[in-house]
Amino acid sequence: MRTLFKLACFVSAFSAFSAVKSAEPLPNTKPLTEDGDLAAKMVQGIHKYLDREIAASPKARDAMWKVDKSSPEAFAKSVAPHRDSLKKLLGLVDQRVPPRMEYISGPGESAVIAECDAFTVSAVRWAVLPGIDGEGLLLEPKGKDKIIANVVVIPDALWTPEQIAGLTKDAKGTKPFAARLADSGCRVVIPVLIDRNDNLSANAKLNRTTNIPHREFIHRMAYEMGRTLVGFEVQKVLAAVDWFHATDKDTRIGVMGVGEGGRIALYAAAVDARIKDTQVSCAFGPREAMFDEPIDRNFWGALNEFGDAEVAALVQPRTLHLYPTAADKNPAAWPTWDGPILSKQGRGQAAPGILKEIPAEGVIAELKRSRAMFPRDEFRRGLLDVEDNWYGWHNLLDGLAAKPFAPEVKPVPALTDSRKNFDPAARHKRQFDQLVAFTQKLWRDSDAGRKEFWKKADVSSVAAWEKSTEWYREYFHTEVIGKLPEPTIPLNPRTRQVYDEPTWTGYEVMLDVYPDVFAEGILLLPKGMKPGEKRPVIVCQHGLEGRPVDTINVEKRPVYNHFSRRLVELGYIVYAPQNPYIGKTDFRQIQRKAQPLKLALFSFIIRQHQRTIDWLETLPNVDAKKIAFYGLSYGGKTAMRVPAVEKRYCLSICSADFNEWIGKNVSIELPMSYMWTNEYDMYEFDLGNTFNYAEMAFLIAPRPFMVERGHDDGVGTDEMVAYEYAKIRYLYQNRLKIPDRTTIEFFAGVHEIHAKGTFEFLKTHLAYPK
């Protein structure tokens, strides 16, 4: 056996082939001279593509927003469709329950926990969604006739309501500005936000602990179900607005928020016109670097339509106050966060992300973009001569009073919390547990929702099925995966020989997809093919952190069982692509950059595979109608997604990955759930309501589809796999009457290629070897 590369060169992450210099490239291709780690270069090339798109997104949004500036009314009407888009990307899809505010007290305790001459402070909760309450504090002026405005004041996620109500000593950066508003005649509701600690992101029954911050923990599962944590918290604010409006329709309603609370205040005002005045503090600025922030700020398609300037446009013609900006003399301390705790043993599952002060020039630039959109200037700057204008509370009061407000600088009212042994952590846990339970129920109920989504698919015949599922295929590609533009640059194929075995040869291949983005892999060609002879192609896909050679070389501890080598030795043409899920955080951050552009890692993988097929179809011995796909692990994920979109794959085999996929991502009761791993790149927005693995296979039908499952493969359980596969079997056998085109093989094994039933499946449906 003669192998034209050094096996040792693949040991490191920067391995490269060492081809014989005299080896010629394939006919009609240029010599491949690129050296170094091509997989790493592939990942970096995709990053470059996304960086360009992110940088260009503000101008793209400018072109997209066709606003009518002829009048405030015309402006509001012209931006209304964008308001609907914002609601969707935030996950504001659930109907709130009727407003209800409850005072909280215990045996022998009053709900009023503090008071001064001007107002009382009560512990309260209010109804939001079924099973979800808001909880926090209610500050009420003494005497209803003294109420000049109703305000929801939203603290940063690192703060408690008590800190901004003046019930505790100042934490870093906090000031009792909510107490200032109440002292000036505002009725104030202060909600609890989910914090960034990680002690609740665990399951004692499963012996699972993580460093995943609470906000990320809820965001992960919610994102899969078409919701977001920020969306849930906006709902809590709007439920308080519902209560204000139901009890006092004539009094102006405002919102004020700082840090994370500032973002929620901005979104709440953007979607609800009942909010007349909004104060956003330490939050407004450019959003193009959201991939460096905590992942709970990651929204599907956000940058295609919304920066903060565009969200602010939805508040107009109502009043929006921003504080601080660069010209402010005493800007407030921005809430900052250094990211997930990394020092805990065995806890490395969290997505990276930090919070830092937005540079003044960035705030000003976004402010200028905002002002350019408005029919008139409704921004109000801070009352900079007020000594205690903490986070701009005077600005808000000026607007709510509907007249210039003459602030009176006086001491903050002295307040003492009368609750004995009050623990804010217990209250926070209630809020956390409610959101978890609500989202877990969304998953458990999602089967019915997907059936409703798929009701237009016509099962009356195979032809009717193929025609009716084209809409779903386009939806899956565009709305779930994210659709990149069609590549327009030449393929520019480059090759070099890297294997010369007794019965086959191997060539490394590189193809252009977009500037800086390329496809790469290894083509294995049987020797002795005659001119004009056509043979099937099997695309053999590696898994996470893998490389094409992993599917070719004989392993000491078999996982791939050198299935590419074995298939070419049977006479098939084999292509082993390099997929870009390699490099740990480097590749996972592709997802962070892509999702705000309504793209994903698989957006690129689909285009890479399409370009690969384009080239394979030009090869003289390739039977273009018999190009099959077979992938393991992350390659199995590819087997579910790429053939669902690319119909030129004539069949698909999913090995060591097939699952009840939504539960795999969302459930906190499954030990193998991605809720307990660092694979934050797995989450796809609203997938739970549209496509589980059965529905992805529906897009592959009526083409042959097979699942290969080792009984002891830790990616799932036999029960989960069989439950999900049964839906596919029912479609093929009972509905489309093509039972021979699908099967599942369970075998005694683990996370590996078994290469028994799958090889027979290939032989049957490719009619080769004859």
Side-chain angles (χ1 to χ4, degrees):
M1 181 178 70
R2 291 179 292 131
T3 303
L4 303 183
F5 66 92
K6 299 177 181 178
L7 294 176
C9 67
F10 291 97
V11 174
S12 76
F14 303 101
S15 57
F17 289 108
S18 181
V20 173
K21 292 182 180 179
S22 60
E24 294 295 321
L26 283 170
N28 301 315
T29 69
K30 299 175 182 178
L32 174 56
T33 59
E34 187 81 21
D35 57 9
D37 186 349
L38 297 190
K41 290 183 177 182
M42 177 185 289
V43 170
Q44 292 309 309
I46 295 173
H47 274 290
K48 290 178 182 178
Y49 180 98
L50 291 170
D51 289 341
R52 287 195 299 270
E53 293 298 304
I54 290 171
S57 63
K59 287 187 177 180
R61 293 194 299 273
D62 290 343
M64 179 186 190
W65 279 65
K66 306 298 184 183
V67 298
D68 186 343
K69 300 181 181 181
S70 61
S71 70
E73 293 75 21
F75 180 85
K77 183 178 180 180
S78 69
V79 300
H82 296 292
R83 181 172 289 109
D84 293 336
S85 295
L86 181 63
K87 289 178 180 179
K88 182 177 180 180
L89 70 87
L90 291 175
L92 299 177
V93 296
D94 301 295
Q95 183 68 39
R96 292 189 299 279
V97 300
R100 185 186 72 253
M101 182 72 70
E102 298 177 355
Y103 293 84
I104 302 172
S105 62
E109 294 182 352
S110 170
V112 176
I113 63 172
E115 65 179 311
C116 61
D117 292 342
F119 62 92
T120 61
V121 182
S122 302
V124 293
R125 61 173 167 258
W126 58 99
V128 182
L129 300 172
I132 295 179
D133 299 322
E135 194 166 347
L137 300 178
L138 173 62
L139 285 59
E140 296 181 283
K142 291 183 176 179
K144 188 174 182 180
D145 59 326
K146 295 183 178 179
I147 297 176
I148 66 167
N150 292 311
V151 187
V152 183
V153 178
I154 315 160
D156 182 68
L158 302 178
W159 302 346
T160 66
E162 286 73 18
Q163 287 172 325
I164 63 171
L167 293 176
T168 64
K169 293 181 180 179
D170 285 359
K172 180 183 177 181
T174 61
K175 296 290 184 182
F177 50 90
R180 280 296 199 200
L181 287 168
D183 195 43
S184 300
C186 296
R187 180 167 56 168
V188 177
V189 169
I190 313 174
V192 173
L193 295 192
I194 299 302
D195 67 25
R196 298 194 183 281
N197 296 322
D198 61 21
N199 56 295
L200 301 177
S201 304
N203 186 325
K205 290 187 299 183
L206 299 179
N207 194 29
R208 293 288 193 273
T209 57
T210 75
N211 73 331
I212 299 174
H214 297 145
R215 296 188 68 81
E216 177 184 343
F217 193 79
I218 293 171
H219 177 84
R220 284 193 188 193
M221 63 178 81
Y223 195 84
E224 192 82 356
M225 301 310 303
R227 278 77 169 176
T228 66
L229 173 59
V230 169
F232 283 139
E233 292 177 331
V234 169
Q235 291 276 42
K236 292 183 179 186
V237 171
L238 297 184
V241 172
D242 292 342
W243 179 72
F244 282 148
H245 190 69
T247 58
D248 188 4
K249 292 183 179 180
D250 298 327
T251 303
R252 288 175 71 90
I253 297 173
V255 292
M256 176 180 181
V258 180
E260 202 66 55
R263 302 211 55 72
I264 294 164
L266 181 61
Y267 292 134
V271 301
D272 196 326
R274 295 174 301 174
I275 298 170
K276 301 303 182 184
D277 294 271
T278 303
Q279 173 72 47
V280 174
S281 300
C282 304
F284 186 87
R287 307 305 315 146
E288 283 69 42
M290 65 170 63
F291 58 86
D292 281 333
E293 297 178 349
I295 198 171
D296 55 276
R297 294 184 170 199
N298 212 61
F299 305 135
W300 177 245
L303 291 180
N304 287 355
E305 194 168 354
F306 297 101
D308 279 1
E310 288 77 17
V311 179
L314 299 179
V315 181
Q316 294 300 308
R318 294 163 288 139
T319 304
L320 174 63
H321 311 268
L322 299 178
Y323 184 89
T325 58
D328 293 324
K329 298 175 182 177
N330 298 300
W334 286 68
T336 59
W337 186 61
D338 293 333
I341 299 172
L342 301 177
S343 59
K344 296 183 178 180
Q345 185 68 28
R347 297 193 188 186
Q349 305 91 338
I354 63 172
L355 290 174
K356 56 186 179 181
E357 180 178 345
I358 298 175
E361 57 271 20
V363 176
I364 293 297
E366 196 69 9
L367 183 59
K368 288 180 178 178
R369 291 189 62 247
S370 298
R371 283 178 166 159
M373 299 177 69
F374 301 150
R376 55 197 178 103
D377 187 0
E378 282 292 337
F379 276 108
R380 301 189 183 187
R381 294 193 50 76
L383 299 173
L384 302 179
D385 56 338
V386 179
E387 183 178 346
D388 68 343
N389 188 24
W390 302 321
Y391 300 106
W393 72 273
H394 275 307
N395 306 1
L396 180 67
L397 196 57
D398 184 30
L400 288 168
K403 60 182 180 180
F405 177 70
E408 179 184 353
V409 178
K410 57 183 179 179
V412 178
L415 296 169
T416 302
D417 193 332
S418 64
R419 292 170 294 185
K420 292 183 170 61
N421 303 316
F422 169 68
D423 182 7
R427 179 184 59 192
H428 177 269
K429 186 177 185 301
R430 288 194 296 271
Q431 294 284 283
F432 178 89
D433 289 345
Q434 285 182 352
L435 293 173
V436 170
F438 183 88
T439 311
Q440 295 296 296
K441 187 176 186 301
L442 289 176
W443 157 53
R444 289 191 295 271
D445 294 345
S446 64
D447 239 356
R450 290 191 298 276
K451 287 178 181 177
E452 177 67 18
F453 178 74
W454 275 82
K455 67 182 181 181
K456 295 181 181 179
D458 187 348
V459 296
S460 61
S461 68
V462 169
W465 178 262
E466 290 187 283
K467 182 178 179 180
S468 65
T469 54
E470 281 306 304
W471 181 89
Y472 292 96
R473 190 183 326 281
E474 180 63 22
Y475 186 97
F476 181 67
H477 193 182
T478 303
E479 301 297 328
V480 176
I481 298 295
K483 190 173 185 178
L484 284 161
E486 293 280 352
T488 59
I489 63 176
L491 280 169
N492 187 25
R494 290 90 76 199
T495 64
R496 60 185 167 211
Q497 188 176 355
V498 291
Y499 286 95
D500 186 4
E501 300 293 319
T503 61
W504 53 275
T505 57
Y507 292 83
E508 188 175 18
V509 180
M510 181 181 284
L511 307 166
D512 289 337
V513 182
Y514 302 106
D516 295 315
V517 179
F518 60 88
E520 186 260 342
I522 299 175
L523 177 69
L524 307 183
L525 295 172
K527 291 181 177 179
M529 289 188 290
K530 299 176 182 178
E533 179 184 0
K534 300 291 186 180
R535 295 198 188 183
V537 178
I538 303 176
V539 175
C540 296
Q541 188 64 65
H542 64 78
L544 177 64
E545 301 292 339
R547 297 173 185 270
V549 292
D550 297 332
T551 73
I552 300 169
N553 298 337
V554 179
E555 305 156 287
K556 291 183 178 179
R557 298 181 61 184
V559 173
Y560 296 98
N561 279 307
H562 52 283
F563 74 125
S564 289
R565 176 186 294 266
R566 293 166 69 177
L567 287 167
V568 73
E569 288 173 351
L570 289 173
Y572 296 102
I573 297 172
V574 173
Y575 189 80
Q578 176 69 61
N579 270 5
Y581 37 70
I582 186 169
K584 299 182 179 179
T585 301
D586 281 348
F587 93 77
R588 291 197 164 97
Q589 287 300 97
I590 288 175
Q591 198 81 322
R592 294 291 308 279
K593 290 180 179 179
Q595 286 182 341
L597 295 168
K598 202 175 181 180
L599 296 171
L601 183 67
F602 272 97
S603 304
F604 292 91
I605 292 173
I606 285 172
R607 291 305 190 201
Q608 288 172 321
H609 278 255
Q610 289 175 331
R611 295 288 268 184
T612 298
I613 294 174
D614 290 345
W615 179 70
L616 288 172
E617 289 177 333
T618 69
L619 301 184
N621 294 112
V622 166
D623 185 340
K625 294 183 178 179
K626 292 184 178 180
I627 302 178
F629 191 93
Y630 186 179
L632 173 126
S633 193
Y634 267 54
K637 295 172 184 29
T638 311
M640 298 308 303
R641 289 163 177 80
V642 175
V645 171
E646 179 46 71
K647 294 169 67 177
R648 287 179 294 174
Y649 278 126
C650 69
L651 65 78
S652 183
I653 300 173
C654 177
S655 178
D657 182 70
F658 189 86
N659 239 307
E660 198 285 88
W661 183 253
I662 308 305
K664 168 83 171 178
N665 280 271
V666 174
S667 175
I668 60 170
E669 300 299 332
L670 295 171
M672 67 286 297
S673 170
Y674 286 128
M675 290 298 299
W676 311 119
T677 74
N678 67 343
E679 284 153 306
Y680 57 85
D681 57 291
M682 281 293 98
Y683 293 86
E684 296 157 294
F685 186 69
D686 202 28
L687 190 70
N689 296 304
T690 52
F691 297 87
N692 206 329
Y693 267 12
E695 288 79 18
M696 293 184 200
F698 291 175
L699 296 180
I700 297 172
R703 291 167 287 158
F705 173 74
M706 181 178 179
V707 173
E708 184 178 47
R709 160 73 188 173
H711 284 304
D712 294 318
D713 187 346
V715 302
T717 67
D718 282 355
E719 294 83 355
M720 291 170 62
V721 172
Y723 168 80
E724 192 66 14
Y725 177 75
K727 305 171 194 175
I728 301 167
R729 184 69 188 176
Y730 181 81
L731 173 71
Y732 275 75
Q733 179 168 320
N734 287 42
R735 294 292 191 175
L736 301 182
K737 311 302 182 185
I738 48 173
D740 59 319
R741 297 191 195 179
T742 188
T743 191
I744 186 169
E745 180 188 23
F746 289 96
F747 64 92
V750 289
H751 195 69
E752 60 184 310
I753 293 285
H754 189 50
K756 297 290 194 298
T758 52
F759 278 31
E760 286 299 315
F761 191 77
L762 291 167
K763 181 178 180 180
T764 297
H765 292 286
L766 298 177
Y768 190 90
K770 296 183 179 181

